[in-house]
Every structure is written in structure tokens, then in C-alpha cells.
Amino acid sequence: DFSVLILAFNCGPLLGDAIESVLDQSHSDLELIVVDPGSSDQTWEVISSYEDPRIIPIQTPKQPLTKSLDRALGRATGTWITNLSA
């Protein structure tokens, strides 16, 4: 089982492609943790538009990306963890 982390700061126009890329993988035993660390564009709207149960959305106030990564890692349950930052 895999945990895929996406730290998405102000990347709304590109984020949908990144999310779709992960969800389209042939390996279905995965979770996708998408963190929006205080974006000022439509990033959160893109994240919250998905209703796939494999997605764990996290919205935080603006903070350093390292803190966002720590938060995502704290939620990860996969044996294997990878980071796909958008």
C-alpha cells in the first residue's frame, strides 16, 4: 500500500492533472494526501472538488512547506510513501 503526498501551494491550474495522474495508476491500493498550505488561488477548490475516498484533503493556514510535509506524513498510513509536489 502506498501513500502519495502532494503539497499544493498556489498551483490550482496544474493540480487537477497531478491528482488525476495519481488516481489513474494501475495500483489501486493507495491514498493521496493533498495539502494546501494557505494558497491564495483556487487550489483548495480543486482539491475539494474530488469525492474519491482515496483522497485525504488537508487545508492549513499559510506555513512553511516543511510543516505541511510533516502534517501530511503524520496522516500517511502506507507502507511506502512518496512525495509528488505540484
Side-chain angles (χ1 to χ4, degrees):
D1 55 333
F2 290 86
S3 294
V4 179
L5 316 178
I6 297 179
L7 305 179
F9 181 72
N10 286 339
C11 60
L14 305 172
L15 185 56
D17 289 340
I19 291 173
E20 292 297 329
S21 175
V22 173
L23 297 179
D24 288 345
Q25 296 300 308
S26 59
H27 187 80
S28 61
D29 189 12
L30 62 85
E31 65 183 2
L32 173 58
I33 302 168
V34 187
V35 182
D36 174 8
S39 294
S40 59
D41 69 353
Q42 71 274 27
T43 296
W44 183 248
E45 287 78 13
V46 173
I47 296 168
S48 58
S49 71
Y50 286 87
E51 295 183 13
D52 191 301
R54 297 173 291 174
I55 297 176
I56 300 170
I58 300 174
Q59 186 178 35
T60 66
K62 191 169 183 181
Q63 63 183 9
L65 291 180
T66 53
K67 285 191 175 194
S68 298
L69 180 60
D70 284 345
R71 184 140 183 213
L73 286 168
R75 293 288 303 272
T77 62
T79 303
W80 302 96
I81 300 173
T82 189
N83 181 21
L84 174 68
S85 292

